[in-house]
Amino acid sequence: MRNLAWKKYDPGKLGYFFPNPVLMMLNKVITDQQLLVALAMGDRKATSEIYKKNYPVVKGWIIKSGGTEADCADIFQEALVVLFSKAQDENFRLSCAVGTYLFAVSKHFWFKKMQKSSRDPSFSMEDMGNLETAISGVESDLNAHYEREEHFELLNSALDQVGEPCRSLLRAFYHQDKSMQEISAAFGYTNAENAKTQKYKCLNRLKKIFFNMQAK
Amino acid sequence: MMNLNSSIWELAESYLAGSMAADEKKLLSEKLESDTDFAEEFSECVDLLKSVTNSGKLHNFRNMIGEIHKDQSVKPARKLMNKIIALPPLFWRTTAVAACVALITSSITYWSITPSIKKNDSQYNKISREVEHIKTGLKNNTADIESIKKSANTQPVQPASQAKFTGTGFALTNDGYFVTAWHVVNQGNFDSVYIQNNEGLYYKAVLVSHDDKADIAIMKVDKKNFRFGKSDLPYTIAKSKALLGARIFTIGYPNNDEVYAEGYISSRNGFEGDNLQYTLDLPAAHGQSGSPVVDAKGNIIGILTAVGSPGEANTYAVSTTALYDLIKESPAIAKVHQHRNNRLSWLGREQQIEKMEDYTFSVKVYKK
């Protein structure tokens, strides 16, 4: 066996001098993985890199299929969200290249959109998009995504019902990543400890509302 | 030790963050096992915190990719502008062929257009060469004359001193013999005689023969192969005396400029009945001595010699019969003198004068 070469593979050195397709693929998978870890942490540079690399392909395909530029952006961003959510799981493993994954998910979203807008009942997802979905194994991810979306939607509506100081306070803390010091200053609390107590009270209210809504 | 109800969120937060101390963790797990109500509430709290945190993360992520999208939809335009698209190797051969064709076409066009430009250019050259040719012709002429002068004598072309006396002469033969008034030359002991033609060129002359009584001198330009003009003399010299009242004119050099005057023969005899002379009604000035007196048909009938006293307005000319007498006495001249044709007879006055210009000239006498 001649697999000795890639076992000793050092992407920094050998790959440069011997552009072996196998080594390059290995290299790509490694960098994809690194990118995804960064993506999961919300690293802007990594996200931008992935966006730049993969958006043109998806865009080209959607426009060719009759979509608009806005459609392209919406769909690709939604696909990125799926990838992001999946990357949150520490044990996640991508069965294919990032590009393939994003393309498959984007295709799925596109077909779903088409199905929604189309009055024709004969228009079927199975005919068009499901082949790729099945191959790249994004189906379970998509189901999880829809579930999560539903969950967050519920949470957001619960958040809307908690009433004013709480809603803003929780949004500031969880959405805008403000520290308790900043929040206490912004909301007029005497210190961060008071703000914290107020936050727990708000969380209590949110919990009540949210679980009531879930029970319904 | 723990106010669990008030700080159940705090517990859940630290549990999620993994920042719990080992003993706290132990206490919590004990509590969770013993108190099922607390355990249920705690799990609810953890779930909610997870959800809220994740929802926040997702919210931020969406915002971020929205911004990235904006950034990148601006960038490509700039990128496109700077982008140099390399020619794929597939098209290299085609491009090379196209470039060759373009090169050949442009060279052919160039070569087919430039000859016509060159033609024009050469036409311009021709014109300028013609001009130059004329110029060089002139130069050659003057050069010839210069060389003629040099070979003619070793004397300076232009006499160094001012001429003492000037008169006029006219050609007797084309090869250098000419006639002037003897008194022009015979002013004491003359040093040298030059003629200056109407082009301003000087030639030295030597005396050949003279008639003291008739006041005629025959001289010769001291130069080999000298010619007054390109052709033979245009005029003839009358052998018999002209009739009374004949219209005559004269060309002379009273100064450096040629002067024309016309009149008539007022008497067939001259001063004090001298039958070798005519009396003319013709304005004349000093310096015109030796000028030819020409009748209307281009025959030279006399040589101006003197003017009368002031108020008399008579001018006297020596008849050419006296000239012929002198010629007969000097056989050398008689042999040379063959001229018979008159080319002036039918011409107008202007043309006559023009034709005579080469054969009349100023005579300048220099003294020591």
Side-chain angles (χ1 to χ4, degrees):
Chain A
M1 294 295 276
R2 297 191 63 189
N3 54 6
L4 215 72
W6 65 264
K7 266 189 177 175
K8 283 180 177 178
Y9 171 62
D10 176 3
K13 286 181 183 173
L14 275 173
Y16 180 75
F17 290 108
F18 305 103
N20 180 316
V22 175
L23 298 184
M24 280 166 77
M25 213 167 77
L26 212 65
N27 196 14
K28 191 170 159 64
V29 170
I30 286 164
T31 50
D32 272 3
Q33 201 64 32
Q34 285 165 345
L35 271 177
L36 284 172
V37 170
L39 177 81
M41 297 193 308
D43 181 73
R44 196 191 176 104
K45 206 176 155 191
T47 314
S48 183
E49 190 71 23
I50 290 169
Y51 205 107
K52 197 164 82 185
K53 227 175 179 176
N54 300 296
Y55 180 58
V57 183
V58 173
K59 184 182 162 187
W61 183 81
I62 291 174
I63 283 181
K64 212 172 75 184
S65 313
T68 66
E69 195 121 344
D71 290 338
C72 301
D74 285 348
I75 283 166
F76 183 72
Q77 281 173 27
E78 205 56 33
L80 260 185
V81 168
V82 173
L83 185 66
F84 172 76
S85 304
K86 187 179 164 71
Q88 296 302 306
D89 184 358
E90 280 172 24
N91 303 316
F92 89 103
R93 193 77 206 135
L94 217 53
S95 57
C96 59
V98 170
T100 316
Y101 185 86
L102 284 172
F103 193 52
V105 174
S106 301
K107 264 186 174 175
H108 171 87
F109 282 135
W110 172 248
F111 286 131
K112 203 174 174 219
K113 192 182 158 77
M114 292 289 281
Q115 201 178 25
K116 246 188 204 171
S117 61
S118 164
R119 295 280 165 87
D120 188 359
S122 68
F123 187 95
S124 163
M125 286 280 292
E126 269 125 57
D127 295 345
M128 303 188 71
N130 273 11
L131 192 63
E132 282 95 344
T133 328
I135 287 168
S136 45
V138 295
E139 206 167 1
S140 60
D141 294 345
L142 284 167
N143 288 338
H145 172 75
Y146 289 130
E147 217 171 279
R148 203 162 41 233
E149 285 292 288
E150 210 178 317
H151 184 77
F152 286 143
E153 216 171 296
L154 205 64
L155 185 67
N156 272 334
S157 58
L159 202 57
D160 283 341
Q161 287 175 37
V162 290
E164 220 355 283
C166 282
R167 187 170 154 266
S168 296
L169 192 145
L170 290 176
R171 276 191 190 279
F173 187 77
Y174 291 104
H175 286 184
Q176 290 150 26
D177 284 333
K178 295 269 167 62
S179 70
M180 287 322 287
Q181 275 80 15
E182 284 175 300
I183 289 168
S184 68
F187 287 82
Y189 297 110
T190 49
N191 54 39
E193 206 56 41
N194 277 351
K196 217 174 183 179
T197 317
Q198 184 62 37
K199 188 185 84 178
Y200 292 146
K201 277 183 188 167
C202 289
L203 279 172
N204 260 333
R205 274 166 78 175
L206 180 67
K207 193 183 79 165
K208 245 178 232 168
I209 296 163
F210 182 60
F211 283 107
N212 276 340
M213 284 170 81
Q214 266 188 323
K216 272 178 196 170
Chain B
M1 56 180 267
M2 282 179 97
N3 186 354
L4 287 172
N5 202 28
S6 69
S7 64
I8 189 167
W9 290 105
E10 215 163 344
L11 278 171
E13 270 182 344
S14 55
Y15 172 79
L16 275 175
S19 61
M20 258 181 158
D23 55 335
E24 257 186 321
K25 238 179 197 170
K26 204 180 166 189
L27 202 71
L28 180 66
S29 58
E30 277 172 10
K31 170 100 175 165
L32 287 170
E33 272 174 37
S34 60
D35 191 342
T36 52
D37 282 354
F38 175 78
E40 201 184 329
E41 202 185 346
F42 184 76
S43 77
E44 275 180 13
C45 287
V46 168
D47 279 353
L48 187 74
L49 276 177
K50 264 189 190 171
S51 295
V52 169
T53 313
N54 283 339
S55 135
K57 265 191 192 171
L58 210 59
H59 176 85
N60 288 337
F61 183 75
R62 280 181 197 276
N63 282 347
M64 189 173 75
I65 56 177
E67 283 167 21
I68 287 169
H69 177 77
K70 269 185 205 162
D71 287 355
Q72 291 190 357
S73 54
V74 173
K75 265 184 198 168
R78 209 184 68 197
K79 240 184 133 186
L80 265 174
M81 277 164 70
N82 298 338
K83 205 173 183 182
I84 296 162
I85 299 163
L87 187 70
L90 179 65
F91 300 124
W92 284 358
R93 215 172 64 180
T94 319
T95 314
V97 171
C100 288
V101 169
L103 186 71
I104 290 162
T105 315
S106 54
S107 354
I108 287 168
T109 316
Y110 177 78
W111 286 114
S112 59
I113 287 170
T114 40
S116 64
I117 292 167
K118 275 188 180 168
K119 223 181 266 170
N120 288 340
D121 218 356
S122 64
Q123 277 169 2
Y124 291 134
N125 277 338
K126 260 184 201 165
I127 292 164
S128 63
R129 209 174 289 148
E130 276 170 16
V131 171
E132 211 152 25
H133 178 70
I134 292 161
K135 269 190 199 164
T136 51
L138 280 173
K139 268 186 203 162
N140 286 343
N141 284 347
T142 48
D144 282 349
I145 289 156
E146 299 272 324
S147 64
I148 285 162
K149 277 186 229 155
K150 269 175 193 166
S151 60
N153 47 40
T154 51
Q155 303 265 347
V157 173
Q158 173 129 26
S161 59
Q162 196 70 32
K164 279 277 185 198
F165 302 99
T166 64
T168 305
F170 63 90
L172 187 62
T173 64
N174 195 27
D175 59 357
Y177 287 95
F178 66 90
V179 179
T180 188
W182 170 241
H183 75 263
V184 172
V185 182
N186 185 30
Q187 293 289 341
N189 51 340
F190 65 89
D191 176 43
S192 54
V193 177
Y194 284 85
I195 63 164
Q196 186 184 21
N197 65 12
N198 63 349
E199 281 175 12
L201 296 169
Y202 287 84
Y203 299 99
K204 200 186 179 193
V206 292
L207 185 65
V208 176
S209 175
H210 72 92
D211 187 344
D212 197 0
K213 201 183 139 208
D215 194 24
I216 298 170
I218 295 174
M219 300 189 78
K220 191 181 186 296
V221 173
D222 187 19
K223 184 190 170 311
K224 268 184 188 171
N225 301 323
F226 177 80
R227 293 288 181 275
F228 284 111
K230 280 172 190 165
S231 53
D232 212 340
L233 304 182
Y235 47 77
T236 50
I237 298 164
K239 286 185 173 172
S240 56
K241 277 194 106 175
L243 298 172
L244 187 66
R247 290 271 165 193
I248 47 93
F249 70 92
T250 185
I251 300 166
Y253 291 86
N255 39 53
N256 281 333
D257 290 319
E258 196 176 17
V259 168
Y260 168 79
E262 66 177 7
Y264 52 86
I265 298 173
S266 58
S267 170
R268 292 191 76 194
N269 290 325
F271 185 62
E272 290 173 348
D274 186 348
N275 69 341
L276 288 175
Q277 285 188 340
Y278 296 102
T279 304
L280 309 172
D281 193 0
L282 181 82
H286 291 288
Q288 273 183 300
S289 294
S291 294
V293 178
V294 191
D295 70 11
K297 300 224 166 174
N299 291 307
I300 293 176
I301 57 150
I303 302 139
L304 280 186
T305 178
V307 289
S309 57
E312 204 180 331
N314 282 337
T315 304
Y316 300 99
V318 183
S319 169
T320 47
T321 51
L323 177 63
Y324 274 107
D325 290 340
L326 183 61
I327 289 167
K328 274 174 199 162
E329 281 173 28
S330 41
I333 309 164
K335 223 197 285 177
V336 178
H337 187 65
Q338 308 282 330
H339 178 63
R340 282 289 160 265
N341 293 331
N342 186 323
R343 289 184 279 118
L344 300 175
S345 49
W346 305 108
L347 294 175
R349 188 55 47 86
E350 296 90 335
Q351 282 77 29
Q352 286 178 334
I353 294 163
E354 201 181 336
K355 293 268 185 190
M356 285 180 70
E357 271 174 1
D358 282 342
Y359 305 96
T360 55
F361 37 80
S362 177
V363 177
K364 305 202 170 190
V365 180
Y366 298 86
K367 271 190 172 177
K368 271 179 187 164

